[in-house]
Amino acid sequence: TSIPTLFQPLTIRNVTLKNRIVVSPMCMYSAENNPSSPNIGALTDYHIAHLGHLALKGAALVFVEATAVQPNGRISPNDIGLWQHSTDSAQFKGLKRVVDFAHSQGAKVGVQLAHAGRKASMAAPWLRPADAATTSLRADADAYGWPGDIVAPSGGVDMIWGSGYHTPRSLSVAEIKELIAAFVASAITAVKAGVDVLEIHGAHGYLLTQFLSPVTNRRTDEYGGSYENRTRFAREIITAVRSAIPADMPLFLRVSSTEWLEDSPVARETGSWDVPSTLRFVKELQELGVDLVDVSSGGNNEQQKIKRVKSYQVDIAAQVRKELRAAGHKTLVGAVGYITDADQAKDIVQGADQEDEHGDVKEEAKAAEKLLSGPEPQADVVFVARQFLRDPAWVLHVANELGVNVTVPKQFGRAY
Ligand code: FNR
C-alpha cells in the first residue's frame, strides 16, 4: 500500500518537510518580562523543553510562538521577541539554541513574526481573573506593560479591542515604515539563527489584521479606506521581508480568512474582512513571493459569531485552495483548527479515499467523477496546535494508526 500523502515529503523552495504536519505557533507566556534584564523576550529552558520534545516526536516543522518584531508588539510582557539583532544577544542565542536542537532531531523550525497592535500589553491568560469580561486584563506599567505605547492603524477609545484592553493611538506613516523595517530586521536575525521557514502573522486581530479590516482601519491616508490601501501594509511587509531573506527560503502568511462579522451591527456600518476579501487577497500572494497561506479566522472584533463546528476553518482553507488552483496559482494552503484525528488529517491533505464512497447512485456518480479528476485535497499541510499539548507524540500515534513507519529517535527504539 502506498504511503498516505500526510506522510509524504513536501519540498517548498529549498526546505523539505518530512511530512505534512506542522506544529502551529502557540504563545507560552514564559519569557523574561523585566525590561532591565538582558534576557527579556528570549526563549528559555522552558521553550527548549516544550518545543524540543515536539521536535523529537515527528512533526516536520515546529513553529515557535508569535515573535514580536518590536517590544510594544508583544501580546504580553512574557512574550518572546526578536528585536535584539546582535549574535551575542539573548534573543538571538535563545532562538539559535532551539533551532540547533530541533535540527539535531531532523525537524525544521519556523518563526512567526508578529506585532499585536492594539491587543498588546495584556496579562498572561492564567493571571487574568475568572470574570475577565468585567475586570482588567491589562498588563500595566507595574507589571512591565507599556500602556502609553499601544499602537494601531486607528486610535482612540472607539478602537479598543475589548473591555479591559488598552486604548491605542494611531501609527504615523513614519512609524509604519519603521515597523516594516522591524519585520525585515527580525527576519534577517531569524535567518542568521538558522530558522528554516518564516511566517508573517496576519491573523487573529493583531496588527496586520487591524490594517486589513475596515472595522479597525479608519485611516484616510494611503494605508486606509479602499481594499488596495488596507492591504498595503501587509503587501509592503511581505515584499520587504521576501527580498531580505534568501531566495530559496519559504515564506508563509497566516490570515484571518473572515472576521465572522457578516450580520453584526459594526460591519453594517463599516463592512468587514470576509471570505471574499480573502479569496481576492490570496491571489496576490504568489506574485509577492508567499509560498503558503495558513488559513485561520476571527479575533478582530467582539461581535464575531464564529461558526464553531469541527470543520469550520478547514472548509474555508478548501475554498481558498480551490480558488487558487482555479486561477492557476501554486500557492500552498495550510488548514488549522480542531484537527485532532489521524483519518481527519489524512483526508484533509489527500481527499477522501475512493473506497470510502458508497451508497446511492448520486454518490456513485460523484465517486466516478472523483476517480477521473483525482481526489481533491482541502489543504496541502495541516497546522495542529492544542492536540500537540494533549499529546506531544501525536505524529507518532497518527503514523501508527495509518500504518506508516516513521523514524523515531534511536533512544526511543524499544518503545516503538
Ligand atoms: C494559539 N494560537 C496562536 N496562533 C498564532 O498564530 N500565534 C500564536 O502565537 C498563537 N498562540 C496560541 C497559544 C495557545 C496556547 C493556543 C491554544 C493557540 C492559535 C493556534 O495556533 C491555532 O490556530 C488554534 O489553536 C486552532 O488550532 P487547534 O488548537 O484547534 O489545533
Side-chain angles (χ1 to χ4, degrees):
T1 55
S2 62
I3 297 171
T5 308
L6 187 63
F7 283 96
Q8 287 175 19
L10 174 67
T11 299
I12 312 174
R13 298 197 189 228
N14 76 334
V15 172
T16 298
L17 305 181
K18 62 186 170 193
N19 56 50
R20 314 291 172 104
I21 302 173
V22 178
V23 177
S24 199
M26 281 181 278
C27 289
M28 289 286 124
Y29 310 101
S30 296
E32 172 65 63
N33 61 7
N34 186 335
S36 61
S37 163
N39 296 324
I40 185 169
L43 292 160
T44 66
D45 285 355
Y46 175 86
H47 300 94
I48 276 280
H50 167 64
L51 299 166
H53 83 154
L54 296 171
L56 277 172
K57 292 166 189 169
L61 172 61
V62 178
F63 263 98
V64 175
E65 66 195 69
T67 300
V69 300
Q70 286 182 341
N72 72 345
R74 289 169 296 161
I75 299 164
S76 87
N78 298 84
D79 284 14
I80 68 156
L82 206 51
W83 64 82
Q84 299 171 344
H85 304 298
S86 149
T87 51
D88 288 331
S89 66
Q91 289 179 4
F92 176 84
K93 288 198 285 198
L95 177 59
K96 184 162 189 310
R97 195 165 160 241
V98 167
V99 168
D100 288 348
F101 178 76
H103 285 171
S104 76
Q105 302 304 315
K108 306 291 185 195
V109 179
V111 159
Q112 186 190 44
L113 297 174
H115 193 292
R118 67 178 185 159
K119 292 173 92 172
S121 192
M122 303 306 292
W126 59 84
L127 298 176
R128 297 174 191 177
D131 58 342
T134 55
T135 319
S136 176
L137 321 167
R138 282 191 286 263
D140 283 315
D142 57 357
Y144 300 129
W146 49 97
D149 195 22
I150 307 297
V151 298
S154 304
V157 290
D158 293 344
M159 289 292 126
I160 297 174
W161 146 251
S163 90
Y165 278 71
H166 298 285
T167 306
R169 64 176 174 81
S170 317
L171 286 160
S172 68
V173 171
E175 287 175 314
I176 290 175
K177 304 290 182 198
E178 282 168 24
L179 262 158
I180 296 166
F183 271 89
V184 169
S186 298
I188 291 171
T189 303
V191 170
K192 257 193 248 164
V195 163
D196 303 283
V197 173
L198 286 176
E199 175 165 279
I200 294 168
H201 196 349
H204 303 166
Y206 297 114
L207 190 60
L208 270 80
T209 320
Q210 293 162 32
F211 271 89
L212 294 174
S213 165
V215 175
T216 38
N217 184 344
R218 310 285 176 95
R219 300 178 74 94
T220 53
D221 62 7
E222 69 266 36
Y223 288 99
S226 63
Y227 163 89
E228 189 65 23
N229 284 352
R230 284 181 282 112
T231 53
R232 188 180 308 282
F233 182 55
R235 258 199 318 274
E236 288 185 352
I237 290 173
I238 294 165
T239 304
V241 168
R242 180 73 266 173
S243 64
I245 64 176
D248 57 6
M249 182 173 188
L251 180 63
F252 294 5
L253 175 72
R254 173 165 274 199
V255 292
S256 270
S257 53
T258 172
E259 298 185 87
W260 301 106
L261 289 175
E262 275 79 2
D263 299 316
S264 66
V266 62
R268 275 201 289 277
E269 254 174 65
T270 63
S272 72
W273 185 271
D274 53 12
V275 172
S277 317
T278 296
L279 296 180
R280 179 173 177 186
F281 190 53
V282 294
K283 282 181 281 186
E284 300 192 43
L285 298 180
Q286 178 167 291
E287 201 175 321
L288 293 170
V290 171
D291 302 296
L292 182 145
V293 58
D294 164 10
V295 181
S296 192
S297 71
N300 201 41
N301 190 279
E302 286 194 308
Q303 291 174 20
Q304 64 187 6
K305 286 209 170 60
I306 300 182
K307 196 179 76 191
R308 236 184 260 286
V309 296
K310 191 159 181 166
S311 64
Y312 76 120
Q313 277 177 182
V314 177
D315 289 347
I316 304 175
Q319 231 182 306
V320 165
R321 194 175 183 281
K322 205 168 164 194
E323 182 86 7
L324 284 167
R325 296 299 172 269
H329 289 216
K330 295 199 166 67
T331 315
L332 298 168
V333 175
V336 64
Y338 294 117
I339 299 169
T340 56
D341 305 325
D343 281 331
Q344 180 197 11
K346 172 176 149 265
D347 288 347
I348 287 170
V349 297
Q350 182 165 306
D353 281 339
Q354 309 302 337
E355 296 80 28
D356 291 345
E357 299 278 358
H358 52 79
D360 62 14
V361 176
K362 211 163 124 209
E363 285 304 312
E364 271 174 42
K366 262 205 270 177
E369 195 180 297
K370 260 191 178 172
L371 216 49
L372 287 176
S373 60
E376 196 58 42
Q378 293 173 285
D380 300 286
V381 301
V382 291
F383 283 67
V384 175
R386 287 164 294 183
Q387 189 60 19
F388 277 116
L389 303 182
R390 300 178 196 113
D391 178 7
W394 186 69
V395 176
L396 304 183
H397 294 148
V398 169
N400 272 346
E401 215 174 311
L402 301 180
V404 179
N405 279 323
V406 288
T407 312
V408 296
K410 54 186 179 293
Q411 295 90 337
F412 291 14
R414 287 182 193 196
Y416 281 88

